[in-house]
């Protein structure tokens, strides 16, 4: 009898415990995937009347399910919406006035900031990002030429199902070509807070269908194949996705001050030591109307020497490039040891010239140091106070910067040499 | 008497190492970097040296009182009343440490992983784990530490290797950033973690002999000191001084950096597994220490009945502070400073008393011998 | 209030670590340093415990002393005495009889020997005859036998009456059990000699029963008994009892023989490489299989009878010069102390001798492989075999033993290590995956790559249940398939598992009841749990899995860690016959590198340290005699 009541009691206890557990499940902060709308990209813009406009791209998860049959696959895989509010964070609330689901930022891949907004300063957005648990510090940060809203609304990746994947893959091309820098929120903040030099961010834009005067002008002026004067939104092309990734936005503190073109960006990355590889084109030094294409990569980190001399500070940077021929249009025998050395030297001079022009531009336009030379200047300092109170921009403007390029073309590709065609008229 | 069981070298090292590692996952590295700037890593080494010194003091105290723990030793040395007072101070230290740690780990877990979960639920989970663990006894805690240390060290190692990608060596400079003396006087003393010496003295029985106790402690403290130094170094090199000193959970932030290719990204939750484990273990060790000190002081047969009372006390104390900042300030400005008394001052005084007593006894012996 | 208090008490008990020395039996020193320590201060602690144990032991089994004391005063004259002694020793060797029986036996022997030669009247016989004793009157014996076996209602026992062809002819009858005895041996070794060959030498010289035993019966084991209890025990085990008119003793002729299964392939512990034989239900065949592996005089088999009704033999096998004597004592203590009516299988015996029945982990390892048992006996463990059970129990066992298979040892070290690593992964997957899946999907969505998360979310979109319910539905139906596949009769059983899984999974996905990714997770979990080699361990993991499902759904990774934390405590506090369950790892002891990785065979120099064997060494430092010098680092001691 006693045992029986004990058993009953035990059962009651177990049932109570199970009830307790089952009630506690689900109200402890668990969120099902179908309660959430995953935000893949966010754009910040400044609107008129001191308003903020925020654009978000939300993934439509139904489009990603492989089974379940009807409906799913035909739906658009993402949706872009925008809202205006006095505060950027207020818009998050407004989204839910027409959106059925809670916004989840844990998979936000990219933050796009409009040019106008960037010129007013972007630190407030970035610190919010790094404070907010869900947002990721390693999400990319891009500055949009024009409005971020236009960029996100018009960005329609052709080959990928979602902008998240598109961004990931596009960033991979930066490693191959080097026409725009990949900047994450973390990197930008590091440059902004830890260093005195000017931070940079990648530049994106939307292709303009109407012929821009500026583009026309650039097209007319460009003759040197080593130069790539285009920036996002101004690439002469037809077809394809409207979004373009090329160029760099330069900041002074957290305010955008200028733009670098494709080839300038490449030079900047090269001097920073962040260029992985790129295809360089140059005019054949011996034949003016022929070009040479070389695939080069940065062999090792650049060597930077900082010298205190009588006439002020001097920075000497040596960059190393190595790679292989892609095309020699003229058929000149550059594969030979001597000719190759001549070509390498000619090429090096070109690169040095470009670098010098870029440095001159930064000084002239008052951009400040975009190459982060102050990282190396730290060694010259003794204490934290000195570093803290360093007026790097002034020093940079007065410093003479010498770039030495060392190129080594290691492989000729599949051809040992180019033999001329047996032409009729030559006989 | 309280039956505590015994453990060998490996378990002992794991126990003390985990106990010592617990704070690297919280805000401490960030505070250290804010204080020491680029020299924070050197300061971590300095902390290690002080910890070793303190451990040495405690071991030499316990060497003179083999076969007992510091609780009995203090009563032998300074008499029953002062001794009990002294022991109560030790207990209080561990109780407050437990209370603060429950709250801090709870807040850390909430911030890092469970943003919408009520804090009380997490804290109850932590306390419950500590109670369960203490019921199984010290021997089991040590064995569990031994098992989990593999995973914990593995996690730390993976993180360190993965973060190497993000290291920028120039962040290391300027080399001598601050005046070391100034750093120490300004607050480096707040970052000393000295509870391991006292802990070792409380569970002195279980080490078997004092040589074992000494080698265990020295190995554990050096290992944790090295890990701490590397972590701070990586924080400085990976995030930079300014960013690193902004963070609430620097270890977690470091793990957020990790990514291997497109697939293995955002793996901070995996590292969460390791540091939550450390938290659970640290809490149970501290709860055990506080309970067992009380039980020994009052000469109880078993410490287990006290567990409920002590853990309830710790839990109630820990829930009082209204926010994270308060608990952080309490910890850094009061607990760590006043905590130096039971962890380093009292043992040192006890050692002095012990030395003096011994000399007296010797003199007495010799005088007695002379008289005879 | 009282109820809650009780509840707390129970909860407390579940988690309480109560060091019960009586239960644990003995404490093994765990580390070399500690052992050294203990040696130093021996009289302080351990010896006391040991003494206490020893004293207990003495108290628990005073049999040998009693037995010897009681046997000495036997008075049997002349030839008879020596023969009786002989038979008794024989009998002892074969089946050690429990003390009680022995005591009775000798006491009654005294009585019987005194009034043996007085001729009695029939009424006297019927009145005075001790019913436990064989009577010189055949009818009395027959009546008694019929009474004992409830003949003729009980059809298993057959009484065959006949006449022995001596001069003068003597009436006799034989009793045997149908089914347990061999018909041909009864015909050729009992009936034929008694009825035919006995007239080769028809004159009886001396006692008739001696004459029959010595000169007539040609069976290889013939015993003389005068007590029914023993005769009945013999008949119950297949022997044939022969009662002869005028003799107050009976002959027990060994005619065992029953239908049994031959030695067959191992069914549940298959290996690719290695012996392909398994234990069967015959104890003697099983011990023989082990002996076949270890051909040593040092291998001892002790027999203990267990079960008041079933009288089953339990064999305890060990290497005398290796095994830890304390361990042996403890094993024997536990088995001998059992007071049960019957033990049908070694599975039940296992539950009687394990320490913590409520701990989830199995504390005794059962195996059907003789080579595995031999391997463990060589390392210093003890095998317990129950008659009629095709599984041998090996004690003590650790979790790592249970995770190993013989394939690991039979294959080359690299292959073995690979197998073990795979199995380690399987071990974790088998109880963690569904919990971790829930934790990720509900709490840590950022961990999954974006595309994959979107795919998971998309698949979940049409599922009406919360993830937790979905997982539980799938897990329960998987367990159903598993159980049903085992229980479905005959040939259908093999197919129902596969068909059920495939069809159910496919249909569930199409019906939008579960998402496809979950099918993968449940399937992988199920596969992994099958990769865990020990069936009981599989069970424990299957059950724990549900706990992790709830924890993961409630608190995400924090819940999972909470679960791991508690589970680790449960496992580390566990002991199997005094050996910590996670032994070579925690507490860390010297091992042969035989835990996660598998060292090459020539490195197995020591027996597992945690067993505290008498001989520490398994093989010399240079086991391969043909290698001139050891390339190994010289170790301490």
């Amino acid at each position: 009898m006693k045992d029986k009541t004990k058993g009953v009691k035990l059962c009651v206890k177990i049932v109570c415990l199970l009830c307790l557990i089952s009630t506690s499940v689900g109200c402890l902060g668990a969120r099902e995937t179908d309660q959430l709308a995953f935000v893949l990209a966010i754009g910040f813009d400044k609107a008129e009347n001191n308003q903020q406009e925020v654009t978000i791209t939300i993934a439509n998860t139904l489009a990603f399910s492989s089974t379940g049959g009807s409906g799913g696959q035909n739906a658009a895989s993402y949706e872009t919406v925008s809202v205006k509010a006095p505060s950027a964070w207020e818009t998050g609330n407004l989204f839910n006035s027409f959106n059925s689901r809670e916004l989840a930022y844990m998979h936000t891949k990219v933050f796009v900031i409009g040019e106008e907004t960037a010129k007013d300063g972007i630190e407030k957005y970035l610190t919010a990002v790094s404070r907010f648990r869900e947002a990721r510090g390693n999400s990319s940060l891009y500055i949009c030429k024009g409005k971020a809203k236009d960029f996100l609304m018009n960005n329609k990746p052709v080959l990928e199902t979602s902008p998240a994947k598109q961004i990931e893959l596009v960033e991979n091309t930066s490693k191959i070509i080097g026409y725009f820098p990949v900047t994450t929120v973390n990197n930008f903040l590091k440059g902004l807070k830890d260093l005195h030099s000017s931070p940079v961010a990648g530049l994106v834009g939307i292709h303009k269908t109407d012929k821009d005067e500026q583009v026309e002008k650039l097209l007319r002026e460009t003759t040197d194949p080593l130069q790539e004067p285009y920036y996002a939104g101004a690439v002469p092309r037809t077809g394809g996705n409207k979004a373009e990734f090329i160029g760099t936005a330069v900041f002074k503190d957290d305010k955008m001050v200028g733009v670098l073109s494709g080839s300038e960006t490449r030079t900047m990355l090269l001097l920073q030591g962040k260029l992985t590889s790129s295809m360089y084109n140059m005019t054949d030094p011996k034949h003016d109307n022929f070009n040479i294409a070389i695939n080069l990569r940065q062999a090792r980190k650049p060597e930077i020497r900082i010298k205190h001399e009588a006439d002020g500070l001097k920075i000497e940077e040596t960059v190393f490039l190595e790679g292989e021929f892609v095309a020699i249009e003229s058929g000149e025998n550059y594969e030979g040891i001597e000719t190759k050395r001549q070509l390498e030297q000619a090429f090096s001079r070109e690169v040095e010239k470009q670098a010098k022009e870029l440095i001159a531009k930064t000084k002239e336009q008052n951009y400040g140091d975009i190459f982060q030379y102050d990282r190396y200047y730290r060694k010259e300092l003794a204490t934290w106070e000195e570093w803290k109170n360093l007026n790097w921009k002034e020093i940079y403007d007065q410093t003479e910067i010498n770039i030495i390029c060392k190129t080594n073309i290691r492989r000729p590709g599949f051809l040992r040499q180019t033999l001329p065609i047996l032409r009729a008229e030559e006989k | 008497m309280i039956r505590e069981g015994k453990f060998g070298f490996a378990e002992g090292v794991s126990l003390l190492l985990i106990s010592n590692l617990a704070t690297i996952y919280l805000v401490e590295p960030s505070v250290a970097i804010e204080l020491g700037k680029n020299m924070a890593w050197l300061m971590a080494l300095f902390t290690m040296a002080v910890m070793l010194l303190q451990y040495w003091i405690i071991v030499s105290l316990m060497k003179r009182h083999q076969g007992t723990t510091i609780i009995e030793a203090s009563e032998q040395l300074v008499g029953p009343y002062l001794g009990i007072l002294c022991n109560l101070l030790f207990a209080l230290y561990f109780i407050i440490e437990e209370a603060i740690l429950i709250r801090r780990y709870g807040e850390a877990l909430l911030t890092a992983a469970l943003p919408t979960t009520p804090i009380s639920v997490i804290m109850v989970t932590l306390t419950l784990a500590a109670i369960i663990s203490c019921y199984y006894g010290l021997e089991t805690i040590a064995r569990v530490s031994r098992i989990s240390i593999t995973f914990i060290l593995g996690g730390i190692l993976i993180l360190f290797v993965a973060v190497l990608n993000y290291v920028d060596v120039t962040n290391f400079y300027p080399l001598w950033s601050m005046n070391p003396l100034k750093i120490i006087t300004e607050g480096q003393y707040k970052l000393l973690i000295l509870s391991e010496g006292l802990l070792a003295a409380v569970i002195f029985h279980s080490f078997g002999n004092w040589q074992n106790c000494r080698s265990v402690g020295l190995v554990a403290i050096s290992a944790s000191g090295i890990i701490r130094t590397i972590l701070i170094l990586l924080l400085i090199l990976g995030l930079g001084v300014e960013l690193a000193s902004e963070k609430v959970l620097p270890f977690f932030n470091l793990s957020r950096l990790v990514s291997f290719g497109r697939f293995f990204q955002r793996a901070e939750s995996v590292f969460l597994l390791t540091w939550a484990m450390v938290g659970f273990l640290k809490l149970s060790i501290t709860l055990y220490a506080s309970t067992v000190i009380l039980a020994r002081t009052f000469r109880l047969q078993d410490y287990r009945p006290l567990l409920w009372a002590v853990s309830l006390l710790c839990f109630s104390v820990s829930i009082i502070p209204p926010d994270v900042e308060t608990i952080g300030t309490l910890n850094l400005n009061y607990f760590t400073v006043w905590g130096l008394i039971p962890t380093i001052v009292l043992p040192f005084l006890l050692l002095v008393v012990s030395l003096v007593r011994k000399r007296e006894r010797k003199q007495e012996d010799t005088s007695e011998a002379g008289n005879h | 209030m009282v109820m809650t208090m009780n509840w707390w008490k129970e909860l407390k008990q579940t988690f309480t670590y109560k060091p019960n020395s009586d239960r644990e039996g003995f404490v093994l020193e765990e580390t070399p340093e500690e052992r050294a320590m203990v040696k130093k201060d021996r009289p302080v602690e351990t010896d006391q415990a040991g003494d206490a144990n020893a004293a207990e032991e003495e108290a628990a089994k005073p049999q040998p002393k009693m037995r010897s004391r009681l046997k000495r005063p036997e008075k049997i004259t002349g030839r008879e005495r020596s023969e009786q002694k002989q038979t008794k020793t024989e009998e002892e060797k074969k089946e050690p009889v429990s003390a009680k029986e022995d005591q009775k036996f000798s006491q009654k022997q005294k009585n019987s020997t005194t009034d043996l030669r007085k001729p009695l009247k029939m009424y006297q016989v019927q009145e005075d005859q001790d019913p436990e004793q064989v009577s010189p009157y055949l009818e009395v014996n027959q009546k008694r036998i019929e009474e004992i076996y409830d003949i003729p209602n009980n059809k298993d026992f057959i009484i065959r009456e006949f006449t022995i062809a001596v001069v003068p002819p003597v009436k006799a009858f034989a009793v045997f059990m149908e089914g347990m005895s061999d018909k041909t041996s009864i015909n050729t070794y009992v009936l034929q000699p008694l009825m035919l060959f006995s007239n080769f030498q028809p004159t009886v010289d001396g006692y008739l029963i001696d004459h029959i035993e010595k000169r007539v019966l040609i069976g290889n084991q013939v015993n003389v008994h005068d007590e029914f209890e023993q005769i009945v025990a013999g008949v119950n085990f297949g022997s044939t009892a022969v009662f002869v008119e005028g003799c107050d003793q009976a002959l027990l002729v060994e005619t065992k023989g029953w239908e049994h299964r031959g030695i067959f392939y191992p069914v549940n512990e298959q290996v690719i490489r290695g012996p392909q034989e398994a234990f069967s239900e015959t104890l003697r065949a099983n011990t023989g299989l082990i002996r076949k592996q270890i051909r040593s005089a040092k291998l001892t088999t002790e027999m203990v009878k267990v079960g008041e009704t079933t009288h089953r033999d339990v064999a305890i096998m060990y290497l005398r010069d290796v095994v830890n004597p304390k361990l042996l004592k403890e094993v024997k203590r536990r088995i001998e102390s059992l007071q049960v009516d019957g033990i049908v299988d070694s599975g039940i015996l296992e539950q009687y001798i394990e320490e913590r029945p409520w701990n989830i982990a199995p504390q005794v390892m059962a195996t059907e492989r003789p080579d595995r048992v031999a391997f463990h006996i060589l390392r210093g463990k003890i095998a317990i075999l129950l008659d009629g059970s095709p599984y041998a129990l090996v004690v003590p066992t650790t979790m790592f033993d249970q995770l190993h298979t013989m394939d690991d040892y039979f294959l080359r070290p690299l292959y073995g290590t690979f197998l073990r690593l795979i199995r380690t992964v399987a071990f974790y997957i088998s109880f963690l995956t569904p919990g971790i899946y829930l934790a990720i999907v509900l709490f840590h969505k950022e961990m999954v790559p974006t595309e994959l998360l979107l795919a998971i979310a998309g698949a979940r979109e049409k599922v009406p249940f919360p993830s937790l319910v979905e997982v539980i539905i799938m897990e329960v139906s998987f367990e159903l398939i598993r159980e049903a596949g085992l229980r479905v009769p005959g040939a259908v059983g093999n197919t129902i598992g596969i068909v059920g899984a495939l069809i159910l999974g496919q249909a569930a996905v199409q019906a939008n009841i579960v998402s496809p990714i979950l099918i993968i997770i449940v399937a992988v979990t199920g596969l992994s749990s099958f990769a865990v080699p020990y069936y009981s361990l599989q069970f424990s993991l299957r059950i724990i899995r549900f706990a992790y499902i709830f924890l993961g759904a409630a608190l995400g990774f924090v819940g999972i860690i909470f679960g791991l934390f508690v589970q680790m405590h449960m496992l580390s506090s566990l002991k199997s016959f005094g050996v910590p369950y996670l032994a070579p790892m925690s507490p860390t002891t010297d091992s042969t590198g035989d835990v996660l990785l598998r060292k090459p065979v020539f490195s197995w120099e020591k027996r597992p340290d945690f067993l505290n064997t008498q001989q520490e060494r398994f093989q010399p430092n240079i086991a391969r005699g043909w290698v001139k010098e050891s390339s190994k680092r010289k170790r301490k001691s």
Side-chain angles (χ1 to χ4, degrees), chain A residues 219-249:
Chain A
L219 269 176
R220 256 181 275 119
E221 283 176 0
T222 312
T223 47
D224 184 2
L226 203 54
Q227 294 289 346
E228 206 64 75
Y230 308 112
Y231 47 85
V235 180
R237 59 155 186 164
T238 359
N241 185 6
K242 280 188 176 171
E244 287 172 1
F245 295 75
I246 183 169
T248 306

Side-chain angles (χ1 to χ4, degrees), chain B residues 126-195:
Chain B
L126 288 169
T127 321
L128 199 65
I131 293 171
I132 291 171
S133 165
C134 286
Y135 255 105
Y136 278 105
L138 181 66
E139 204 177 27
T140 309
I141 300 179
R143 285 183 190 167
V144 172
S145 319
R146 170 63 191 82
I147 303 168
S148 39
I149 196 79
T150 326
F151 300 97
I152 290 162
L153 289 184
I156 291 177
L157 190 73
I158 290 173
L159 177 76
F160 284 177
V161 170
V163 166
L164 282 183
N165 252 351
Y166 300 87
V167 161
D168 182 355
V169 188
T170 54
N171 277 341
F172 197 59
Y173 302 97
L175 205 51
W176 303 105
S177 58
M178 309 273 273
N179 183 359
L181 271 177
K182 202 178 148 203
I183 302 176
I184 291 167
T185 50
E186 264 182 10
Q188 181 61 34
Y189 59 87
K190 289 178 188 168
L191 294 167
L192 300 174
I193 306 114
L194 298 165
S195 61

Side-chain angles (χ1 to χ4, degrees), chain C residues 121-188:
Chain C
K121 303 268 157 46
M122 194 61 179
Y123 68 90
Q124 269 181 317
V125 170
Q126 273 159 349
E127 274 174 16
D128 297 349
Q129 179 65 34
D130 184 350
E132 299 297 318
Q133 210 69 33
V134 177
S135 146
Y137 297 93
L138 202 58
E139 296 118 84
V140 178
N141 285 340
Q142 189 165 355
K143 216 170 240 168
R144 176 77 188 125
I145 288 285
E146 283 173 356
E147 195 183 300
I148 290 173
Y149 285 125
D150 192 18
I151 303 173
N153 289 342
N154 196 342
K155 296 290 187 295
D156 269 349
F157 296 91
I158 291 162
I159 294 179
R160 167 79 162 88
E161 289 171 62
F162 57 90
T163 311
I164 304 171
V166 288
V167 182
V170 180
K171 277 174 125 191
F173 71 89
V175 184
F176 57 90
M177 200 209 303
E178 181 79 47
M180 289 284 282
S181 51
D182 184 18
K183 275 176 196 150
T184 29
S185 16
I186 291 175
N187 291 344
T188 46

